[in-house]
Amino acid sequence: MNAQQLKNAILQEAIEGRLIPQDPNDEPASILLERIRKEKERLVKEGKLKKKDLEVKPISEDEIPFEIPESWEWVRLSNLIQLLSGQDFPPEKYNSEKKGTPYITGASNISNGRLHINRWTETPSVIGIEGDLLIVCKGSGVGKMCICDIPKIHIARQIQIIRPLSSTVLIDYVRIVVNANMQSIVSKAQGVIPGISREDVLDLNVPFPPYAEQKRIVAKIEELLPKVEKYGKTQDELNKLNEELPERLKKSILQEAIEGRLVPQDPNDEPASVLLQKIREEKQQLVKAGKLKKKDLIETPISEDEIPFAIPDSWEWCNLFDCVDILYGYPFDSTAFNENSLGFPLIRIRDIIPSSTKTYTTEKAEERYVIKKGDMLVGMDGNFNVCFWKSDNAYLNQRVCKITAKESILNQKYLYYYLPYELEEIFKTVSYVTVKHLSDKHFRTMRIPLPPLAEQKRIVAKLEQLLGEIDKLKK
């Protein structure tokens, strides 16, 4: 049960007479209603009410939703209150210089159960007084309520005033009843701009307790609702924690993985230093074949300052660029783009997250720019998202790159799990005006903790097992 449901349940208990015990010494509600009837007769004589206000609209058995204590009575709200509707003013009749009477125009004037004043009028006509119940009856915030806490106000059409006809009707109890029925009242709101009609308020069936019991109910509600609010805040914090927990767990597990603490090391594994020697030998062969220059054999040492955490003895820190092949997207002409399936599918940076595209291009490019299902892609603008492409073959557009691990030394899935860590670190440091950009220079400066190849496979297997369990938690 969330806080709102708990609040609703407490309000319902209150208006059904089950929140507090009844006192047989209380003067019954039937006597209060007789006093109110006489008070209304007096107001009619004084011209403050009309004769029709003396009419009592009966409540049929079918309209009674629940049983109430014997000392209570069912009555229409119209028999207990006056309902005042507001009047709008044109701009020339109100001001922001605090001249005249506060002018309440709508929900924006009600904040945390109190009035917020930003307009005044020197020609008030529909007057609210301290102790009146204000209800937003139209527009944004319909159903919002507060007790007037200043001596005098003027209300606009978006506000209605509920004012008790007798001191034996506690406005705070009326507020409890209206609050308990608010969902039903608001559901009847009609029009392009939803509005609560006067009839919906006046015809509301009120379970009316003795005056003394009204006071006890109000006191109990005032005691309980702050606790409900506190419970709601605690629940919100717990819900937030529950939402964040899977991602926190994932991040923690991935960190364990890249630091060599997720699976045990096997002394029989071929160490990563041997893998690095393979890289050197491959480069030497490429130099001999004329595919690389001698300067490409120069290794950039990794300083102690560049190493963010310790790794096992069988691992090595190395330059990511030596372990992968990177293909940057082709600068296709955007005038050839379409979503009519004309030409060949095209992967743009916005297609990384969904791993699918609706864009086609009629322009042709070299075969190497064709991405196949299972290729790993990185978005080079924005959040630097990473994905394995899941859709059919498509061209690779600029600002997206394909990264392929050299299988003899680096497991593609190990790279997939490590790369977001490195990209997040770069993301923190990249300066930008509107969007952050990833460049070839960034890839050339990336470092990777390289485990033995066999351990990389064990890490991937363990990660997929644990991350799968976390995904189940989400569901």
Side-chain angles (χ1 to χ4, degrees):
M1 181 180 286
N2 62 34
Q4 186 58 51
Q5 290 169 331
L6 180 58
K7 178 182 177 180
N8 292 344
I10 290 171
L11 293 175
Q12 193 62 36
E13 290 277 301
I15 66 173
E16 290 185 19
R18 295 186 288 119
L19 187 64
I20 58 170
Q22 279 70 53
D23 185 339
N25 296 315
D26 288 344
E27 187 176 57
S30 57
I31 295 177
L32 300 185
L33 291 177
E34 181 59 27
R35 286 184 190 162
I36 292 169
R37 186 184 64 79
K38 291 178 179 179
E39 178 67 16
K40 289 174 77 174
E41 288 175 348
R42 183 183 66 79
L43 291 171
V44 168
K45 288 179 181 178
E46 294 176 359
K48 295 179 181 178
L49 287 180
K50 297 178 180 179
K51 280 190 177 182
K52 68 175 184 177
D53 295 321
L54 295 176
E55 297 172 6
V56 176
K57 186 177 178 180
I59 299 174
S60 68
E61 288 291 329
D62 294 339
E63 293 180 276
I64 296 176
F66 48 80
E67 294 290 326
I68 56 175
E70 291 183 5
S71 57
W72 292 36
E73 294 288 339
W74 279 105
V75 62
R76 303 277 184 194
L77 186 57
S78 59
N79 297 126
L80 303 177
I81 60 108
Q82 283 182 286
L83 184 64
L84 306 181
S85 297
Q87 179 184 7
D88 288 343
F89 284 152
E92 60 268 19
K93 283 199 171 186
Y94 59 81
N95 65 84
S96 58
E97 287 81 40
K98 301 184 180 182
K99 295 178 181 178
T101 301
Y103 177 29
I104 309 302
T105 60
S108 61
N109 292 119
I110 300 175
S111 177
N112 297 320
R114 297 182 66 86
L115 287 176
H116 169 69
I117 313 300
N118 54 14
R119 291 177 182 174
W120 288 259
T121 178
E122 296 183 277
T123 57
S125 56
V126 183
I127 305 299
I129 58 175
E130 191 168 2
D132 283 345
L133 176 60
L134 310 182
I135 179 169
V136 179
C137 61
K138 200 171 185 66
S140 174
V142 64
K144 202 171 185 181
M145 293 189 295
C146 81
I147 303 290
C148 182
D149 56 0
I150 56 180
K152 183 180 177 182
I153 60 172
H154 169 87
I155 60 167
R157 288 179 60 196
Q158 286 189 321
I159 302 288
Q160 289 175 345
I161 287 174
I162 294 177
R163 182 178 298 160
L165 287 168
S166 166
S167 59
T168 58
V169 180
L170 279 185
I171 193 62
D172 286 305
Y173 177 74
V174 173
R175 182 182 189 177
I176 290 168
V177 175
V178 174
N179 210 345
N181 288 276
M182 186 56 70
Q183 187 174 352
S184 173
I185 294 171
V186 172
S187 69
K188 297 175 184 177
Q190 298 177 348
V192 178
I193 301 176
I196 298 173
S197 72
R198 289 177 59 84
E199 289 72 23
D200 289 336
V201 177
L202 292 170
D203 286 348
L204 184 66
N205 296 330
V206 177
F208 189 52
Y211 177 70
E213 190 169 348
Q214 291 178 50
K215 293 174 73 174
R216 294 197 298 274
I217 290 171
V218 169
K220 191 66 176 177
I221 291 291
E222 289 177 349
E223 174 195 339
L224 292 176
L225 290 191
K227 295 177 182 178
V228 172
E229 186 177 349
K230 185 177 180 182
Y231 163 74
K233 289 179 180 177
T234 303
Q235 186 183 52
D236 289 343
E237 290 172 3
L238 180 60
N239 290 342
K240 184 180 179 183
L241 179 61
N242 287 335
E243 288 175 6
E244 293 175 350
L245 184 60
E247 289 306 315
R248 287 186 182 183
L249 281 174
K250 277 188 176 182
K251 198 166 184 178
S252 176
I253 289 168
L254 289 169
Q255 191 67 35
E256 293 277 302
I258 65 175
E259 291 184 16
R261 295 184 285 120
L262 187 64
V263 298
Q265 280 70 52
D266 185 338
N268 297 314
D269 288 343
E270 184 179 65
S273 58
V274 176
L275 301 181
L276 294 182
Q277 183 56 36
K278 288 181 181 178
I279 293 175
R280 297 185 187 101
E281 292 171 359
E282 286 178 8
K283 280 187 170 183
Q284 288 169 355
Q285 292 298 321
L286 290 171
V287 168
K288 287 180 182 179
K291 295 180 180 180
L292 285 181
K293 296 180 180 179
K294 281 189 177 181
K295 68 176 183 178
D296 294 319
L297 295 176
I298 300 172
E299 294 184 14
T300 305
I302 300 173
S303 67
E304 288 293 327
D305 294 339
E306 294 179 276
I307 296 175
F309 48 80
I311 54 175
D313 291 340
S314 57
W315 292 34
E316 293 287 340
W317 279 102
C318 65
N319 296 308
L320 176 69
F321 209 78
D322 292 331
C323 305
V324 299
D325 292 313
I326 300 180
L327 173 70
Y328 299 108
Y330 183 79
F332 287 90
D333 184 353
S334 62
T335 60
F337 294 177
N338 69 87
E339 293 188 0
N340 301 318
S341 302
L342 299 176
F344 201 70
L346 178 70
I347 301 169
R348 303 167 72 181
I349 197 163
R350 66 185 184 185
D351 303 320
I352 297 291
I353 294 295
S355 192
S356 63
T357 182
K358 294 180 181 179
T359 305
Y360 283 71
T361 180
T362 53
E363 187 178 358
K364 292 186 178 181
E366 296 175 42
E367 184 66 22
R368 64 194 179 108
Y369 291 108
V370 175
I371 298 302
K372 298 177 175 62
K373 190 178 293 185
D375 285 344
M376 194 172 89
L377 308 179
V378 178
M380 299 178 67
D381 291 331
N383 293 324
F384 308 157
N385 295 309
V386 182
C387 83
F388 281 117
W389 187 246
K390 297 178 183 177
S391 300
D392 295 334
N393 292 0
Y395 280 140
L396 188 68
N397 195 38
Q398 60 186 341
R399 304 310 302 156
V400 185
C401 68
K402 179 179 79 169
I403 302 185
T404 307
K406 294 179 179 178
E407 292 184 355
S408 61
I409 56 174
L410 182 60
N411 182 284
Q412 184 77 33
K413 284 193 174 180
Y414 175 77
L415 172 63
Y416 172 75
Y417 288 122
Y418 171 74
L419 197 55
Y421 167 85
E422 189 71 22
L423 291 172
E424 184 178 344
E425 293 303 306
I426 291 172
F427 187 86
K428 293 174 184 175
T429 60
V430 172
S431 58
Y432 68 104
V433 178
T434 54
V435 177
K436 295 195 175 189
H437 301 289
L438 194 62
S439 68
D440 176 77
K441 181 180 178 181
H442 289 119
F443 283 114
R444 290 180 181 276
T445 57
M446 286 185 190
R447 309 291 182 247
I448 183 170
L450 188 67
L453 198 54
E455 188 173 345
Q456 291 178 43
K457 293 177 182 178
R458 293 197 301 273
I459 289 171
V460 167
K462 191 66 175 178
L463 279 173
E464 292 186 338
Q465 175 201 338
L466 294 176
L467 297 182
E469 293 297 322
I470 291 173
D471 286 337
K472 289 178 185 177
L473 285 178
K474 284 183 178 180
K475 297 174 183 177

